[in-house]
Amino acid sequence: MTLHNAWSRTARAARAALVPGTGRRKQTKRRRTRLPRRPDYPRAGRSGWRRWVPSWRLVLGSALMFTATLVTVVGIAYARTDIPEDLNAFATQQDTVYYWADGTPMARTGWVSRQEMPLSKIPDHVRWAVLAAENADFYSDHGISTQGITRALWRTVGDGDTQGGSTITQQYVKNVYLTQDQSFSRKFTEMLLAVKLDRRLSKDKILQEYLNTSWFGRGTYGLQRAAQAYYGKEVTQLNASEGAFLASLLKGASLYDPAVDPHNRKRAVARWKWTLDRMVEIGRLSRAERATYTTFPEPRPPHRPNNAGGQDGYLVQLAESYAKRAGHISDARFDLGGYQIYTTFEKPRMTALTRAVREARGTLDPGRRKADRSVRFGAASVAPDGRILAVYGGPDYERQAFNESNASTVPAGSAFAPFVYAAGLQHGVSRVRNGPRSTVGPSTEYDGDDGIPVMTPEGPYWDRSGRMVKGENDGNVSHGRISLHDAMAKSVNSPFLQLGMDTGLKKVRSTAEASGLLPSSFGPPVPAFVMGSSTPSAIRMADAYGTFAAHGTHMDPYSVRKVTRNGEPVRLGLPRPRRAMRSEVADEVTASLALPTGKKGVASPAAVAAKTGTTEDDTARWYVGYGPAASTAVVVYRMDLTKSLAPLPLKGLAGRAADDGPLPARIWNTYTEAMTK
């Protein structure tokens, strides 16, 4: 193409672009963007009812859009849903069970009655009874059931509720993570969590936790407590028939427990039969075994749950404190429960000791006599090997949590004298400051007169008020020269006041501590220390006297012999025996305290030894006695806790004179007679 032709063609194109007669450029038409078509609904070109029938394209498009939206929403919700770290309180908390020394249940504590049980200890026929009744496809589903969801949605739309359609995984999620609120949002969250949990945990783990957290009625959570509540046995001892009945309770104990309503029995029997038949249907129970279960396994009537009231409350208090200390269990962990605490308390002894104290209390008349008001009794019985066998802590733990048997409130008085005697026999005496020690024996004589001055190497002992300290005997009776053995047998005080000074207060203190008395209860190192200014508890006093019964070997008192948590043992640091004094020393103390059969009202086939205890101001009276099986201490005093912690005088107690205090001895005798019959 020539240059001329190219130019001509360009000029013609330019002229064509101008509007004729104006010289302006023509406006080119822009292509319009096509807008989406509005759905043809109601349908154009149709009349009558046909206008309202959607086309197949509209139906398909709407279904696809709804599905895409639903998948997107569920996917986002699933991604944003996390399994909570904290479980519901009732899902994790268990009760703690206390047992008597013979292994029978004593008391339960905790907000719920629940004990975890490993799945391996739950018999196959019991777990499959639950699965047959609740979720036979549990091991093959993915945490939710398509049929169940459809059924739940149908009920939600048709009946206005959200019940039904839950797998065991969903039920577990509801139990431990969510509330029991019947709402669609809760149900939706439940399904999401169930799918996530199914992917995180094994099926066996989910089933185990479900069986341990489900409600079975009668205040119980979990199969273990349900087995005990309905059949009085461990879950390991259940048969398939009993398991089928317990499985029915998962639908609602108020509907199937015969004890709740007589009409429940008919429903329970029908559900029980259906569950056993269902087990046969899914191949988990043979027809031959099914044929043996023709009689409905009647659950036992509900019994009053054990609690920590009465005297049992004091026992639980002692056992809990010891278990925590010996097992190194923190308060927070103990509060989660699940412990089985096997105590040393013997029920027959508890019954006898409680009855003996109540009989003595019955002789008081606080309405008529002022001296009979605010009277308190503390008593404890301890075996020579340290086992606490029985205590009397007060009238009722629920009314008075203050444990009289474990309280260090009143002085031991003359009941402390055996430790002074033992210290003198064990360490000897020195009557010269820093001088050599000489031995003393049962036949060593001391001045037994009343009102004799207490001597030191430098002369008479004067207290801080400038008063000469003198020995005082009960009834101000003088006995002249008397052997230590006879002085102990006759409860003559003045020889032991001087013996304690000759032995040395530090030696007396160390002997008493080695025997079992706590240093925190000791009085100041002055002559009054020898006469029992220390304030031991009844438990500690009984335990310390038990050292004499054990021929000089001491064991700290303990109230728990074994602790387990959900069947697994908890390591305990139990006390160990140690030598407190030579055996001949302990045996001599026992010989000096020995009571002939029938003396002072004691009728016992076994040899016993006992010592009374009184205080100078008559604010406490003791009686401590022991034999081969147990050492028992009884203390009586008066104290009005609403006013002060100061002990009140006992003069006129039970209408008797101030120097006549047989009440502790009467309790000890009554208890001892009951235990030796």
Side-chain angles (χ1 to χ4, degrees):
M1 178 183 295
T2 62
L3 183 61
H4 174 75
N5 292 336
W7 174 260
S8 298
R9 183 174 294 181
T10 301
R12 286 196 299 269
R15 286 194 297 268
L18 297 176
V19 178
T22 63
R24 291 178 301 180
R25 186 179 180 85
K26 294 180 179 179
Q27 295 293 326
T28 59
K29 293 184 179 180
R30 295 183 179 179
R31 188 174 182 180
R32 294 183 178 180
T33 303
R34 189 170 184 178
L35 297 177
R37 291 183 58 186
R38 183 177 64 85
D40 186 17
Y41 190 82
R43 301 177 69 180
R46 302 292 177 105
S47 61
W49 61 268
R50 292 182 177 82
R51 293 191 63 203
W52 304 100
V53 177
S55 65
W56 66 269
R57 293 184 180 86
L58 181 59
V59 172
L60 179 60
S62 299
L64 292 175
M65 182 174 294
F66 174 79
T67 302
T69 303
L70 181 62
V71 170
T72 302
V73 171
V74 172
I76 294 174
Y78 179 82
R80 298 183 62 179
T81 300
D82 295 322
I83 298 177
E85 295 294 336
D86 299 325
L87 305 184
N88 291 336
F90 285 107
T92 55
Q93 193 175 42
Q94 304 176 63
D95 62 349
T96 291
V97 185
Y98 297 80
Y99 297 88
W100 293 104
D102 62 2
T104 57
M106 180 182 75
R108 280 194 176 95
T109 61
W111 292 105
V112 299
S113 178
R114 190 175 77 85
Q115 178 188 339
E116 289 189 2
M117 182 63 62
L119 189 65
S120 59
K121 293 186 177 182
I122 299 176
D124 283 346
H125 52 258
V126 175
R127 72 175 81 164
W128 275 105
V130 173
L131 291 174
E134 293 293 309
N135 187 184
D137 298 328
F138 169 73
Y139 279 100
S140 60
D141 66 33
H142 297 288
I144 59 176
S145 167
T146 304
Q147 293 180 350
I149 293 174
T150 303
R151 185 167 62 251
L153 290 174
W154 176 259
R155 290 187 177 184
T156 301
V157 175
D159 300 333
D161 62 41
T162 56
Q163 297 178 358
S166 293
T167 62
I168 278 181
T169 307
Q170 288 177 258
Q171 293 181 50
Y172 171 64
V173 166
K174 180 178 63 175
N175 289 342
V176 302
Y177 295 119
L178 305 175
T179 67
Q180 302 300 314
D181 177 38
Q182 295 293 336
S183 65
F184 184 81
S185 60
R186 199 274 298 158
K187 193 74 175 180
F188 182 64
T189 304
E190 172 191 300
M191 290 188 291
L192 295 178
L193 285 174
V195 174
K196 274 204 166 183
L197 200 69
D198 187 77
R199 298 183 63 182
R200 176 178 295 185
L201 302 179
S202 68
K203 287 290 189 178
D204 282 348
K205 178 65 174 178
I206 294 173
L207 181 59
Q208 172 182 290
E209 297 307 310
Y210 170 74
L211 295 177
N212 282 323
T213 56
S214 295
W215 168 253
F216 285 87
R218 297 192 181 182
T220 63
Y221 288 83
L223 266 176
Q224 170 68 357
R225 285 287 178 262
Q228 294 171 340
Y230 289 91
Y231 292 108
K233 59 177 68 174
E234 302 293 302
V235 67
T236 55
Q237 301 171 317
L238 294 176
N239 57 36
S241 178
E242 294 162 336
F245 167 72
L246 294 181
S248 69
L249 298 172
L250 293 168
K251 287 295 183 185
S254 60
L255 297 175
Y256 294 95
D257 183 358
V260 175
D261 189 313
H263 298 292
N264 285 357
R265 191 181 185 281
K266 183 177 180 180
R267 282 191 291 265
V269 171
R271 183 73 178 177
W272 165 75
K273 291 180 178 179
W274 178 86
T275 301
L276 290 175
D277 293 340
R278 178 66 171 154
M279 291 179 70
V280 174
E281 182 182 337
I282 63 176
R284 294 297 172 174
L285 185 68
S286 67
R287 295 189 179 277
E289 187 177 359
R290 170 64 183 93
T292 63
Y293 299 129
T294 58
T295 303
F296 178 67
E298 294 286 351
R300 67 178 188 175
H303 64 286
R304 185 178 64 86
N306 295 317
N307 54 45
Q311 289 301 306
D312 291 351
Y314 301 111
L315 304 183
V316 167
Q317 181 189 57
L318 290 171
E320 176 183 330
S321 176
Y322 188 85
K324 289 179 180 178
R325 184 172 67 254
H328 304 287
I329 306 171
S330 66
D331 290 340
R333 181 167 179 79
F334 191 87
D335 287 344
L336 293 176
Y339 292 93
Q340 297 79 49
I341 299 179
Y342 298 85
T343 73
T344 60
F345 306 125
E346 297 182 0
K347 191 172 183 179
R349 287 186 177 274
M350 275 296 302
T351 301
L353 186 58
T354 301
R355 183 181 296 116
V357 175
R358 287 178 177 171
E359 287 181 6
R361 190 183 288 276
T363 64
L364 304 179
D365 189 356
R368 294 177 53 193
R369 292 189 295 266
K370 184 178 179 180
D372 289 354
R373 300 170 188 169
S374 303
V375 180
R376 299 181 177 276
F377 298 83
S381 192
V382 181
D385 60 4
R387 290 174 293 119
I388 302 177
L389 305 176
V391 302
Y392 181 86
D396 190 315
Y397 182 78
E398 292 183 345
R399 291 191 287 117
Q400 176 194 297
F402 181 70
N403 190 344
E404 307 286 358
S405 70
N406 199 34
S408 300
T409 51
V410 293
S414 56
F416 189 80
F419 305 110
V420 181
Y421 188 24
L425 297 175
Q426 178 76 14
H427 301 288
V429 298
S430 176
R431 297 181 175 88
V432 179
R433 187 73 62 188
N434 299 322
R437 288 187 169 271
S438 59
T439 60
V440 295
S443 60
T444 302
E445 293 186 345
Y446 269 75
D447 192 338
D449 286 343
D450 180 67
I452 59 171
V454 175
M455 303 300 294
T456 69
E458 293 77 26
Y461 186 94
W462 301 81
D463 63 19
R464 292 185 178 181
S465 64
R467 184 175 65 92
M468 182 184 294
V469 178
K470 299 179 180 181
E472 296 182 358
N473 295 327
D474 292 341
N476 304 116
V477 177
S478 293
H479 297 269
R481 300 293 295 181
I482 187 172
S483 69
L484 291 175
H485 178 92
D486 290 343
M488 180 59 65
K490 297 178 180 180
S491 295
V492 182
N493 296 332
S494 55
F496 293 102
L497 181 58
Q498 185 61 56
L499 176 64
M501 297 299 293
D502 294 344
T503 304
L505 298 183
K506 288 185 178 179
K507 297 292 186 182
V508 174
R509 178 187 172 109
S510 65
T511 301
E513 183 176 348
S515 298
L517 299 189
L518 295 175
S520 59
S521 68
F522 289 150
V526 296
F529 175 77
V530 177
M531 296 314 298
S533 63
S534 301
T535 57
S537 66
I539 291 176
R540 282 289 172 174
M541 191 64 109
D543 176 65
Y545 269 68
T547 302
F548 303 134
H551 309 289
T553 299
H554 173 254
M555 281 274 285
D556 279 334
Y558 64 99
S559 56
V560 176
R561 58 185 177 84
K562 184 177 71 171
V563 175
T564 61
R565 190 169 195 270
N566 299 325
E568 297 299 324
V570 175
R571 186 175 181 179
L572 291 182
L574 294 177
R576 296 181 179 181
R578 61 178 184 271
R579 175 63 60 181
M581 61 191 71
R582 298 190 303 273
S583 59
E584 59 267 25
V585 171
D587 293 345
E588 165 52 27
V589 174
T590 298
S592 67
L593 298 176
L595 296 176
T597 300
K599 186 177 180 180
K600 294 185 180 180
V602 178
S604 172
V608 294
K611 179 73 175 71
T612 59
T614 57
T615 60
E616 183 179 357
D617 53 3
D618 193 29
T619 56
R621 296 173 187 171
W622 290 82
Y623 198 86
V624 190
Y626 59 91
S631 171
T632 304
V634 181
V635 61
V636 179
Y637 62 100
R638 292 179 61 225
M639 183 179 291
D640 188 350
L641 294 178
T642 62
K643 296 181 179 180
S644 73
L645 295 177
L648 301 173
L650 292 170
K651 182 179 180 179
L653 179 67
R656 294 178 176 270
D659 59 349
D660 184 10
L663 214 54
R666 179 184 302 174
I667 294 171
W668 189 88
N669 290 339
T670 302
Y671 167 69
T672 303
E673 290 173 2
M675 297 312 302
T676 54
K677 286 181 179 179

